[in-house]
Amino acid sequence: MMMNNRTLKKTTSMGFQNPPQAATYHPTKSPLIEFPTSPQLIFGQEILHFSHPQHPLSQINLPDLFTCSGCREFGAGMRFTCQQCEFQLHEFCARAPDALKGHPLHSHHQLSLYSKPVKGGSSKSKCDICSKPIKGFAFRCNACSFQMHPSCAMLSTTFNTPGHVHTLTLLPATMTSNGDLGFVCGECQRKRSGREYHCTVCDYHLHAVCAKDMINGLHDNGIKGVEKPSMLGTAARLASQVFVEFIGGIIEGLGEGVGQAFAQNIIKGKGTSGTTRRTD
């Protein structure tokens, strides 16, 4: 469902008068995209968001890991959270406008914000920037099949990382979409699918998915390696655990049996020994 018809109620700490408009981007010196504040979100102590109208959300900053209730991806640090339930949003998901016009990663078409992924399986719901599945909020093009996470929409064609002195440039999609896992990333030290940033000075590479961890708060709060396990891996671990417990139960049972037999032999030995003494 597209978000163009969403509405928000006014609270004591927020209000809006202008109707929703598409956000148009203009070239800036910053390598990161900054969402213009959505007309429905005027910052104050609390907001009411279209995805959670029953409770207000408060803006807080905590270092712990959380799963965004909007895009269904991990985050840490700044967020909007409900004080009455477990609903939480990335700051950029809460700020996301209804539409993006002239975005540097897809400048020739307007992108609209949707709250649910495309139907038809995981092959049709992958982000065109990081190549990870889209499970919730996403910006989608109505003219073609392009789509990306709100966190990926915070990226631009260039990127600056604290771990590298040079500005990185995003490689064309054609260089990372032919099935080749590409180059070894300077951040995670491995190869993976998705778009990549490249340093033209020293041949340093950075995955777009690693770059967005520097946007969603994971990198700043020292959180690494939080990929969700696959269902196959989870099933294998559960099966392994059940097997270990089963073998452990057998060994424990055998141990109890041996112990009982040993104790019975001792008792018999004592009985025989005592009888012999009485006979002498």
Side-chain angles (χ1 to χ4, degrees):
M1 178 179 179
M2 194 166 66
M3 297 297 104
N4 293 341
N5 295 325
R6 70 190 188 193
T7 57
L8 288 176
K9 299 178 182 179
K10 184 169 68 175
T11 69
T12 57
S13 58
M14 63 170 285
F16 61 92
Q17 297 177 348
N18 299 324
Q21 298 176 353
T24 302
Y25 289 102
H26 302 282
T28 63
K29 295 182 179 179
S30 174
L32 293 180
I33 294 299
E34 292 184 3
F35 282 158
T37 301
S38 172
Q40 295 94 337
L41 297 175
I42 307 301
F43 282 93
Q45 294 180 350
E46 291 182 336
I47 65 168
L48 280 177
H49 195 266
F50 76 91
S51 61
H52 193 69
Q54 63 269 36
H55 300 141
L57 305 178
S58 303
Q59 189 177 24
I60 61 173
N61 191 355
L62 295 173
D64 63 301
L65 181 72
F66 74 97
T67 300
C68 177
S69 300
C71 67
R72 310 291 181 182
E73 290 210 303
F74 289 123
M78 193 65 69
R79 75 204 62 178
F80 280 90
T81 183
C82 179
Q83 302 295 334
Q84 302 181 51
C85 64
E86 297 181 354
F87 188 91
Q88 299 185 87
L89 289 176
H90 289 122
E91 184 179 18
F92 47 78
C93 286
R95 286 186 177 221
D98 293 325
L100 300 175
K101 185 178 180 180
H103 193 282
L105 300 185
H106 196 72
S107 58
H108 47 293
H109 296 143
Q110 178 172 300
L111 302 172
S112 300
L113 180 66
Y114 286 78
S115 62
K116 295 181 180 180
V118 177
K119 294 182 179 180
S122 59
S123 61
K124 294 186 178 180
S125 61
K126 282 190 176 182
C127 175
D128 286 295
I129 303 302
C130 70
S131 197
K132 292 181 65 177
I134 289 178
K135 301 178 181 180
F137 287 5
F139 285 105
R140 194 183 308 159
C141 179
N142 295 323
C144 65
S145 60
F146 181 88
Q147 57 184 344
M148 62 180 170
H149 296 107
S151 57
C152 291
M154 299 291 288
L155 298 171
S156 186
T157 54
T158 58
F159 188 81
N160 288 323
T161 170
H164 193 71
V165 295
H166 305 130
T167 298
L168 307 178
T169 303
L170 188 66
L171 291 174
T174 54
M175 297 185 63
T176 55
S177 60
N178 57 3
D180 185 8
L181 292 181
F183 304 91
V184 175
C185 174
E187 178 67 20
C188 68
Q189 300 300 318
R190 61 179 177 139
K191 295 182 178 182
R192 65 189 305 168
S193 58
R195 300 285 295 273
E196 296 177 357
Y197 287 94
H198 169 66
C199 177
T200 58
V201 178
C202 59
D203 205 33
Y204 178 91
H205 290 84
L206 178 71
H207 293 133
V209 67
C210 293
K212 77 176 188 177
D213 280 351
M214 302 176 190
I215 294 173
N216 57 25
L218 298 184
H219 184 272
D220 290 342
N221 289 279
I223 300 174
K224 295 184 179 181
V226 291
E227 296 282 346
K228 287 187 177 180
S230 65
M231 296 195 59
L232 180 62
T234 302
R237 280 190 293 274
L238 288 175
S240 176
Q241 182 179 356
V242 170
F243 178 75
V244 170
E245 290 177 354
F246 176 72
I247 295 299
I250 292 176
I251 294 174
E252 184 178 355
L254 289 174
E256 290 179 354
V258 172
Q260 290 176 356
F262 182 70
Q264 290 175 358
N265 288 334
I266 292 177
I267 293 173
K268 289 180 180 179
K270 285 184 176 180
T272 305
S273 174
T275 305
T276 303
R277 288 194 200 97
R278 285 197 296 271
T279 302
D280 292 338

